[in-house]
DNA sequence: GGCCTGTTTTGATGCCGATCAATCAAGCCG
DNA sequence: CGGCTTGATTGATCGGCATCAAAACAGGCC
């Protein structure tokens, strides 16, 4: 449930740019790399869309025709095996740039797990713009490197961490993702279901639930509702996530 | 054991460029994106090095001062947990561009698992060059996207595939990596130990060995020596790796 | 050859997390 | 209110891979 915040009415100097001026994701997205004039050019090739929860808007193997920039809500990025096994490779919130694909087709699928708003860019148009705006290309490279680092961290988690370490890492990751909004908060919101957490961490629903219950019993976290978590012992969680404990 | 091939003596038109002309990795690396004139500029900021087996030349957390381009041999990229658990995030052979790091520090370590030759670029110099040569920057973005796709595939493997599926995927990946050299070969060489395969696939040495033995008993592969594998039933391996079997 | 060292293979056992299954809590709607 | 649905929690049991242990093998060296 995204709070639909009241937005100030802004009269833009260019079509589309008005939307950028009031965009919540403006300062944390690739758009931040551009000055006002160039942002207008970017906005000119963008189209805004709203997606209801559950909507799949990228399908693995489809022709990669568009890039996306999330401005509100959360999406999951995932890959499937023929028998239905699912691996979620990441959750993308406001500011996330999406669609960096090699070759002609998407390598993953994407689904809105909440109501989502996003900007859509046609691939050839964005490429053309990249050619003109080195700052944009540099920013995308930077974004890709960030993702790469995140992906490597996730491989360590999936390949070598225990269930408890994975869940601790996940909670801290969520806290970090929410941090830019209001610093040092101990309470986090989980917009995804247990099944989605499980598919992200390479575990099962039951294991997620059990580990969270155990954390609560040990007074490391609190769970007022299933989708709200309060980190009551963050140092301990950090040690666990880093692999410093695991004899406890 | 890399075969040290005899190289033709070439007189380059610029210092360093001579080395490029005789470089085995030239056509499959980022260097391929540049024309002769620009390649000279790239070569001018490069330094060649040889590394013995076992040499760690990038350490996670260290200041990211250099980029590297492998020209011969194989290196492993990995992350460690404090208690020694290791996750290998990838193996890099000739042509691989290395060091794409966000921020100031490397996010992973790198070690030569064979005798290695590589080109080293100082980070600020390469950045400066990127500014001048859009083709280079575009190529690096492309490289980063490729890595991202590979990383996502690996997350699926680590999070959701069984031990047998992982090993099958690994063998096919090795075959594909060797393919550019001589197409459709059924024999592959494994320059890494069982321990390294295990740390790459999120398994143990024993499991790797057992699965390979089982594959051989089932006449899916042959193992003339521990580091040479012949894929005798590639279609079956492909089905298994894709997750289409696993009732067998 | 014979010894040494490190890797791979094979075997016996155990445990963590998966699976199967039941209960619980929270909407939603008639 | 009660029946229905969906997601979360808790319990009982199982199995795949890890762990522990030992044997087989290979290469290097004298």
């Amino acid at each position: 449930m995204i709070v639909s915040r009241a937005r100030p009415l802004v009269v833009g100097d260019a079509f589309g740019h008005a939307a950028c001026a009031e965009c919540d994701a403006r300062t944390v997205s690739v758009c931040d790399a551009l000055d006002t004039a160039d942002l207008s050019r970017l906005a000119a090739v963008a189209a805004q869309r709203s997606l209801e929860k559950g909507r799949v808007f990228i399908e693995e193997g489809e022709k990669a025709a568009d890039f996306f920039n999330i401005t509100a809500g959360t999406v999951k990025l995932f890959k499937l095996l023929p028998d239905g096994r699912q691996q979620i490779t990441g959750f993308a919130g406001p500011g996330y740039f999406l669609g960096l694909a090699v070759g002609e087709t998407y390598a993953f699928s994407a689904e809105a797990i909440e109501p989502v708003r996003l900007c859509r860019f046609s691939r050839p148009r964005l490429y053309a713009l990249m050619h003109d705006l080195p700052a944009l290309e540099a920013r995308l490279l930077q974004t890709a490197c960030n993702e790469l680092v995140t992906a490597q961290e996730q491989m360590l988690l999936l390949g070598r961490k225990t269930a408890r370490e994975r869940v601790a890492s996940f909670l801290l990751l969520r806290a970090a993702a929410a941090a830019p909004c209001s610093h040092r908060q101990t309470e986090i919101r989980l917009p995804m279901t247990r099944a989605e957490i499980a598919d992200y961490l390479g575990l099962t629903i039951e294991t997620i639930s059990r580990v969270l219950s155990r954390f609560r019993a040990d007074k490391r976290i609190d769970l007022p509702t299933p989708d709200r978590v309060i980190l009551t012992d963050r140092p301990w969680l950090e040690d666990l996530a880093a692999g410093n404990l695991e004899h406890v």
Side-chain angles (χ1 to χ4, degrees), chain A residues 89-124:
Chain A
T89 57
F91 295 102
Y96 194 95
F97 188 82
L98 194 49
L100 281 178
V102 71
E104 288 299 298
T105 58
Y106 294 117
F108 55 86
S109 304
E111 173 184 331
I113 62 171
E114 298 179 298
V116 158
R117 286 184 60 80
L118 49 75
C119 283
R120 184 168 59 81
F121 306 90
S122 102
R123 206 174 160 79

Side-chain angles (χ1 to χ4, degrees), chain A residues 158-203:
Chain A
L158 292 170
R160 288 301 180 216
K161 287 188 183 176
T162 65
R164 315 179 69 226
E165 289 168 341
R166 294 183 200 201
V167 174
S169 301
F170 173 72
L171 292 176
L172 292 168
L173 214 62
R174 282 281 100 197
C181 304
S182 70
H183 248 290
R184 268 295 153 200
Q185 60 192 357
T186 80
E187 174 167 341
I188 56 185
R189 191 181 62 92
L190 302 179
M192 64 290 288
T193 66
R194 296 291 186 266
E196 284 160 344
I197 298 174
D199 283 339
Y200 179 59
L201 298 179
L203 299 168

Side-chain angles (χ1 to χ4, degrees), chain A residues 198-239:
Chain A
D199 283 339
Y200 179 59
L201 298 179
L203 299 168
T204 58
I205 313 179
E206 296 93 328
T207 298
I208 302 299
S209 189
R210 270 185 253 272
V211 171
L212 287 176
S213 296
R214 173 75 190 284
F215 282 177
R216 179 172 51 181
D218 293 349
K219 300 261 182 283
R220 309 303 187 178
I221 64 170
D222 204 359
L223 283 168
T225 69
D227 69 340
R228 298 197 315 140
V229 186
I230 296 168
L231 311 182
T232 48
D233 192 350
R234 189 193 276 252
W236 183 86
L237 288 171
E238 281 164 351
D239 271 351

Side-chain angles (χ1 to χ4, degrees), chain A residues 129-144:
Chain A
L129 206 54
M130 260 169 51
H131 202 266
D132 282 9
L133 305 175
L136 180 59
E137 186 162 34
R139 181 58 177 258
L140 288 184
L141 180 56
Q142 189 187 334
T143 302

